[in-house]
Amino acid sequence: MKEITVPAVLEELDRVLEFVNGELIACGCPVKTQMQLDIAVEELYVNIARYAYHPEIGNATVRCTVGGDPLQVTVQFLDGGKPYNPLLNEDPNVTLTAEERSIGGLGIYMVKKSMDEIEYQYLEEKNVLTIRKKILN
């Protein structure tokens, strides 16, 4: 499993995406799957950058591995910020108009809908959020 550790700030988003995309390109990941993963990685990393340590700044580690049968990519996000399980939030009511919905929650909902698996753990004083997506050619 390869990993990158960066300061959890928005300015590092491109570096995180380049890291994950490097692994996806190396395994011949289809563009559609890569785009779904890019959206999920962006959403999850931005949430860490905005909320995990606020108002302080800490580090975020992103781990990426590709393998298995069927072939799949696993991306893990680790931070030492405030314990927070985004999977416990109620899904937004997407049948309402944007004006009728409460603010927040749509990003993690999109991640849950586009990934094959998503799980959260709090281990050794770290938030660990893992997403998995099968790579179908």
Side-chain angles (χ1 to χ4, degrees):
M1 183 174 287
K2 294 184 180 178
E3 70 177 48
I4 184 173
T5 299
V6 297
V9 294
L10 295 175
E11 293 79 12
E12 294 292 341
L13 174 61
D14 286 342
R15 200 164 141 207
V16 169
L17 287 170
E18 286 173 17
F19 165 71
V20 173
N21 282 319
E23 297 303 302
L24 298 176
I25 291 166
C27 75
C29 181
V31 172
K32 179 181 177 185
T33 304
Q34 185 175 345
M35 288 173 42
Q36 290 172 322
L37 282 156
D38 281 352
I39 291 168
V41 167
E42 180 174 344
E43 175 62 29
L44 297 172
Y45 178 78
V46 166
N47 282 346
I48 293 169
R50 285 190 176 151
Y51 306 115
Y53 298 99
H54 186 75
E56 305 298 321
I57 295 175
N59 287 330
T61 298
V62 180
R63 296 177 177 161
C64 185
T65 186
V66 179
D69 186 17
L71 189 63
Q72 70 176 359
V73 63
T74 301
V75 182
Q76 266 188 341
F77 300 83
L78 298 89
D79 70 78
K82 302 171 197 94
Y84 177 67
N85 181 352
L87 304 181
L88 295 178
N89 293 346
E90 189 174 319
D91 289 342
N93 183 343
V94 294
T95 63
L96 299 175
T97 66
E99 293 79 25
E100 295 172 316
R101 276 197 305 264
S102 339
I103 294 175
L106 195 55
I108 194 72
Y109 175 77
M110 291 186 332
V111 173
K112 287 163 54 174
K113 291 297 181 188
S114 64
M115 295 296 107
D116 295 318
E117 295 176 44
I118 182 168
E119 65 184 49
Y120 170 86
Q121 297 176 294
Y122 189 73
L123 300 170
E124 299 175 8
E125 299 186 17
K126 290 199 181 303
N127 294 294
V128 181
L129 190 69
T130 305
I131 57 174
R132 289 185 187 82
K133 180 76 175 168
K134 291 182 183 95
I135 299 175
L136 306 172
N137 289 321

